[in-house]
Amino acid sequence: MSHTKHIFVTGGVVSSLGKGLTSAAIGLLLERRGLRVRMQKLDPYINVDPGTMSPYQHGEVYVLDDGAETDLDLGHYERFTNSPLSRDSNTTTGRIYRSVIEKERRGEYLGNTVQVVPHITNEIKAQVRKLASPDVDVVITELGGTVGDIEGLPFLEAIRQIPLDIGRQNCLFIHLTLIPYLKAAAEAKTKPTQHSVGQLRQIGIQPDVLIVRTERELGRDAREKIALFCNVEKNAVIEEPDKEFSIYEVPLGLMEYGLDQLIVDKLHLRAGPIDMSEWAEHLHKVRNPQHDVSIAVVGKYMQHKDAYKSIYEALDHAGIAHQTRVQVKRIEAEELERQDPEVLLAGIDGILVPGGFGMRGIEGKIDAIRMARENDIPFFGICLGMQCAVIEFARNVLGLTDANSTEFSGEVPYPVICLLNDQRKVVDKGATMRLGSQECRLEPGSKAEQCYGKPSIWERHRHRYEFNPEYRKQFVEGGMNTSGLSPDHQLVEIVELENHPWFVAVQYHPEFKTKPGNAHPLFAGFIEAALVRQQQRVQLTL
Ligand code: GLN
């Protein structure tokens, strides 16, 4: 039996407390103490995966190397830790039930009535334990939702049982709650946290550590009161105040409250001293930028702060690489259809058009890309953004009037983006796109190759439509290079413009492979070009 220890992170009082971020920060702290960590999220909704959910419902869908479409919290895990993630790192009620029902049909429970307890709970426990192995010290399992949700109950019951199987001393329950500050009473209120812990205890889980999110620092007295009422040790109430600058401050804040040592002690882990110097260095750059650039992100779900989470993070990382504050102007693509792009995009140093689905806002994105192309504004297109760049070039440079993607219209005179054979016969919508890590070969001397500094790369995909290979020659002759191709030369993965300071568009999602101290090469290249543009702009106005 492996000696892997388990940490369970639950949330109470309200949703959106940043459980994913806190879990990732805990993972980072433990890794910096030399421990080998695995991260996992359990989502109680019934969808088999979040791949078919609208970004309005659940924010971005985060894609892993193996093509798993997962919850955006896994993005935090990858950006903060080195825990390898796979399909097994994100499980939902839908997946659990599917697996149990498949077993039932195969006759694996012959003779039994199949029930939530023990069959569903056993399946959940097996998913959690799957990540334990002799080369893993700690598995951190985050439970989605809020304590009290009906659909979360089987998961809580399952994690309640795990200490009975592997020993209480090998498990740690961390509960994250909110301590609201009531202005009228000039007081921080601990009652919702007490209720939330009470609910957990009714289920049979006594949290070992409470992490409380606060708007204002609580102070020792309030923490001691919470400890007493919630039945946890005084030093196990950790504050996580709102951060002013950056989410990358969270781990350092938790460390200051001694969270890493608390976990090491409670789980009897053999860990080294902590080294957060590199992390503190990134943070220093975030706090002390030397430059400012202004980047327009022209997309579709701009009011939802999580719809393009990884894009914003990737821009921040590129900013860290150049000690630059990246000011993002979120522009709803449809606005560009109503208002003059020159006005909406005034004072912008770079334009990024991210991925998306469906035709709303497409013409606005195309207008933004045209402006970038004609005015030498650095442009970065991602997935749908690349497809729009191809459509724009076809229409306005190659003269292919009404060129389009067959995603947006059945009758397209010039289908420059279309479905290729593999996708034509697909009927199911779930997990049937071109998904996951694929190799791409770069053209020597291209901007892409200069940024990456190597001839071959692996990047993650999530799309159905592709550049139509029938038009490739025409594009290249017209000045749009196909600078990244699949190894068999059939699929166009990158296009770029020859006579433009920086116009690169990619069919894949580079935003899923970036870290604060290791910015993605294309994002770094884009911000570098935007900095040049910004300096030119300053000189012109002087
Ligand atoms: N809708 C496009 C496709 O399916 C682009 C997808 C995306 O941007 N992720 O090909």
Side-chain angles (χ1 to χ4, degrees), residues 381-442:
I382 292 177
C383 207
L384 183 64
M386 178 257 205
Q387 298 176 353
C388 289
V390 168
I391 296 168
E392 191 279 324
F393 195 80
R395 289 184 189 172
N396 301 324
V397 179
L398 302 180
L400 305 175
T401 315
D402 295 333
N404 216 331
S405 161
T406 54
E407 179 178 359
F408 311 131
S409 154
E411 297 287 306
V412 182
Y414 302 105
V416 289
I417 302 290
C418 65
L419 286 183
L420 296 189
N421 283 342
D422 281 357
Q423 281 291 336
R424 289 218 172 98
K425 31 189 192 302
V426 170
V427 190
D428 281 358
K429 288 273 183 271
T432 55
M433 284 189 255
R434 183 174 173 224
L435 287 167
S437 191
Q438 314 266 338
E439 190 184 1
C440 167
R441 305 260 165 89
L442 305 175

Side-chain angles (χ1 to χ4, degrees), residues 291-339:
H291 319 277
D292 263 288
V293 286
S294 186
I295 300 294
V297 176
V298 180
K300 196 165 145 186
Y301 325 95
M302 302 319 289
Q303 67 275 45
H304 193 301
K305 78 176 189 6
D306 286 340
Y308 297 111
K309 181 118 211 139
S310 295
I311 298 270
Y312 302 134
E313 295 301 320
L315 287 169
D316 279 348
H317 300 171
I320 294 176
H322 294 290
Q323 212 156 354
T324 295
R325 186 187 0 239
V326 179
Q327 312 259 27
V328 173
K329 187 170 178 195
R330 300 176 188 200
I331 297 180
E332 203 49 71
E334 273 178 310
E335 280 298 301
L336 286 162
E337 293 165 17
R338 291 189 280 266
Q339 288 187 46

Side-chain angles (χ1 to χ4, degrees), residues 63-82:
V63 182
L64 304 179
D65 274 339
D66 67 0
E69 295 174 280
T70 70
D71 184 82
L72 56 81
D73 279 331
L74 277 80
H76 291 306
Y77 303 170
E78 275 205 325
R79 290 186 283 269
F80 279 68
T81 75
N82 297 316

Side-chain angles (χ1 to χ4, degrees), residues 2 22 57 111 176-177 191 371 394 422:
S2 87
T22 305
Q57 297 266 321
L176 183 71
T177 71
K191 194 74 85 191
M371 190 170 142
D422 281 357

